[in-house]
Amino acid sequence: MSIDTSLAKTDERPKKVPRWSLALLLSLTLLAASLRFWNLHNLPPGLSYDESFNGVDARSLLTDGKYPLFFSGNNGREPLYIYLQALSVAFFGPTAYALRFTSALIGTLTIPLVYWLVSTLLQPATQANKERPSFSAWLPLLAAAGVAVGLWPLSLSRLGFRAVLLPPLSALAMLYFWKGWTQHRGRDFGWAGFWLAASLYSYTAARLLPLVILLFVLMEGMLGLGQRWGHPCSPGELWRRQGRGLLWLLLVAAICALPLLYTFYQHPRFVAARTADVSIFSPELEGMSGTVAARVWTNLVATARAFYDRGDPNLHHNLPGQPLHDPLLALLFSLGCLVALFRLRQPHIRLIVLWFLVMALPTLLSTQAPHSLRLAGVLPPLALLYALGGEALLGLCARRNLHAAGGGILLLLILALGGGWTGYAYFVRWAAAPGLGATFDLDKQLGAEVTAAKVAALQPGA
């Protein structure tokens, strides 16, 4: 009888990770750090309006003695990232580098989290390939490499925006949810609730993350009701096995999110402070016409193209029109999508697909699609799709007994081709793009620095 891995209790003993895999992970993390911190003092140039607003609020936390749970200025912003920036400002001083240091550090730490996420969610594939342990050991490395050298994650990590905080927090939330779901351990569900609540303090798009878990649980219950896809349990049996853990997740998430929810209760306008301005459901939108259905279709096409041939046109976020993927990552993504469609009978694949689709909604249902920042929640499931695509390619190599060599070759290709493509696009083409200084208000920053220097010179005792 086919046993659904969402219900079968897996081996709780920790798998021994090969030392060579950990060594490569460390190398990938160092590579990601070098790309994110190199010349961060000067690139991006200046400091844009939105980044400056974050900086003002971060400094106020250090000087005013007030600690809000939601920042109402500049259309409203969640607090966690600004608090982290305040720590950086306290250490480095009120500089553009201090504000962006936070993003660069978060972007770097995302790499080992992606490795851990892929190792956890693709555990069924790992168990199915015990006779070839090196086969599965490559999958999290391939995903981590794609995020380490990808142009989109790099750009997110060098801007002072709170969107960069959503990928690692959402990865932790879904990682622990899957551990709780498969191993039925209350502490894992509790951690899932904690990280789920923490993500709500990071970026507006995180409000859709609980929907991923809700839809997944409902889908598993419906499949059990219809005895579809080898599901061995009825909804009642599913609830008996998972109900206590899900209630624990809900309780922890509610307690941790309560301060933010109470703030929204006191100030209801904060809830839609930003989303109302960019929603495609608004009657009149600049640059968009037609019915809501037509707007959704336009955004869907634009977002799909962003992965292949035409990305975000905003110079602030991207080299205008540059796709999110280099050709090799586009291939892995495409193969990963095909593998996911053919393996939808497996619950972890259903979770990945739901996660990707739901977290694409913030850009599908708003203006200026494809919008790199609003797509940030897609990054962790996208990395999982890289791994699935890599699994398909390594499967072809394994038929010729070349699975170990194939993994190393594919990793090197991602780093060489992807890294070269990204490095040239970001540090050469984007850095020299006309109007980049104006986009980041370089003239205003230079004027402020000159003024500050003159004021300091006039101070008594200077």
Side-chain angles (χ1 to χ4, degrees):
M1 178 179 66
S2 174
I3 299 297
D4 192 316
T5 55
S6 68
L7 300 176
K9 192 166 183 176
T10 58
D11 186 356
E12 295 188 16
R13 291 175 299 176
K15 301 184 297 296
K16 186 176 181 180
V17 181
R19 290 185 179 181
W20 61 265
S21 181
L22 293 177
L24 286 176
L25 174 61
L26 177 60
S27 300
L28 290 174
T29 305
L30 293 175
L31 173 62
S34 66
L35 289 172
R36 283 150 179 77
F37 284 100
W38 186 76
N39 201 28
L40 190 60
H41 288 87
N42 302 310
L43 188 68
L47 195 65
S48 66
Y49 175 84
D50 291 333
E51 292 176 295
S52 300
F53 218 110
N54 286 348
V56 170
D57 284 333
R59 192 170 186 183
S60 71
L61 291 173
L62 302 174
T63 58
D64 295 351
K66 298 180 180 179
Y67 307 102
L69 289 174
F70 192 84
F71 291 89
S72 59
N74 198 22
N75 296 311
R77 287 151 298 137
E78 289 75 14
L80 182 55
Y81 180 75
I82 298 175
Y83 276 83
L84 294 175
Q85 283 188 312
L87 294 177
S88 182
V89 168
F91 188 80
F92 293 107
T95 64
Y97 177 82
L99 299 178
R100 292 169 178 157
F101 176 90
T102 306
S103 293
L105 181 60
I106 292 169
T108 300
L109 295 177
T110 300
I111 307 307
L113 286 177
V114 164
Y115 179 95
W116 188 15
L117 174 71
V118 174
S119 300
T120 302
L121 260 73
L122 296 189
Q123 185 178 4
T126 303
Q127 293 175 339
N129 289 283
K130 286 183 178 179
E131 69 280 4
R132 297 193 304 266
S134 58
F135 180 95
S136 297
W138 285 108
L139 302 184
L141 289 170
L142 298 178
V147 177
V149 302
L151 175 62
W152 175 38
L154 174 64
S155 179
L156 278 177
S157 301
R158 294 176 65 96
L159 295 170
F161 294 134
R162 67 196 191 283
V164 73
L165 195 53
L166 177 55
L169 293 181
S170 60
L172 284 167
M174 301 307 291
L175 183 156
Y176 276 105
F177 168 73
W178 184 249
K179 285 168 66 72
W181 185 264
T182 55
Q183 299 178 7
H184 314 304
R185 294 188 300 201
R187 66 175 180 270
D188 289 327
F189 278 112
W191 278 113
F194 172 81
W195 292 115
L196 185 66
S199 70
L200 298 178
Y201 291 84
S202 66
Y203 186 54
T204 310
R207 298 175 190 177
L208 289 175
L209 194 60
L211 183 61
V212 178
I213 295 177
L214 176 62
L215 290 177
F216 175 76
V217 173
L218 292 176
M219 178 181 292
E220 298 308 290
M222 292 176 64
L223 291 174
L225 182 66
Q227 297 292 303
R228 299 294 180 89
W229 288 352
H231 232 276
C233 291
S234 66
E237 178 65 18
L238 179 69
W239 177 252
R240 282 192 293 272
R241 295 194 181 194
Q242 306 289 6
R244 182 178 297 179
L246 291 173
L247 288 175
W248 183 235
L249 183 156
L250 180 62
L251 177 63
V252 173
I255 292 173
C256 294
L258 187 60
L260 182 63
L261 296 177
Y262 183 68
T263 300
F264 287 157
Y265 172 76
Q266 290 182 309
H267 307 279
R269 62 186 179 86
F270 289 171
V271 177
R274 176 60 175 166
T275 55
D277 295 334
V278 300
S279 170
I280 63 171
F281 298 102
S282 299
E284 296 182 3
L285 285 176
E286 183 179 352
M288 297 194 76
S289 59
T291 64
V292 171
R295 294 171 180 176
V296 171
W297 175 253
T298 299
N299 283 357
L300 182 63
V301 172
T303 302
R305 291 189 63 182
F307 294 96
Y308 294 102
D309 71 323
R310 184 167 181 79
D312 193 335
N314 192 334
L315 182 62
H316 204 168
H317 311 149
N318 188 34
L319 180 65
Q322 188 84 351
L324 298 176
H325 289 144
D326 62 78
L328 182 53
L329 286 181
L331 174 62
L332 291 179
F333 169 66
S334 301
L335 289 175
C337 290
L338 290 175
V339 170
L341 289 176
F342 281 104
R343 289 169 53 184
L344 275 175
R345 288 177 176 270
Q346 300 174 349
H348 68 291
I349 298 296
R350 294 195 287 271
L351 179 61
I352 293 170
V353 172
L354 275 175
W355 190 0
F356 183 89
L357 294 177
V358 170
M359 297 313 295
L361 291 178
T363 194
L364 292 176
L365 302 181
S366 63
T367 60
Q368 303 174 351
H371 195 285
S372 297
L373 301 183
R374 296 171 198 159
L375 267 177
V378 165
L379 187 57
L382 181 64
L384 286 158
L385 292 173
Y386 292 159
L388 290 176
E391 183 182 8
L393 290 180
L394 293 183
L396 296 176
C397 296
R399 294 178 183 178
R400 297 172 175 81
N401 295 320
L402 295 173
H403 50 277
I409 292 172
L410 185 55
L411 180 64
L412 288 175
L413 286 175
I414 292 174
L415 296 178
L417 299 180
W421 188 86
T422 292
Y424 180 71
Y426 188 88
F427 294 107
V428 178
R429 295 179 60 199
W430 186 75
L436 186 65
T439 299
F440 283 90
D441 297 325
L442 179 59
D443 56 339
K444 294 182 177 62
Q445 182 194 10
L446 294 175
E449 291 176 353
V450 170
T451 301
K454 290 182 177 180
V455 170
L458 296 175
Q459 295 296 324

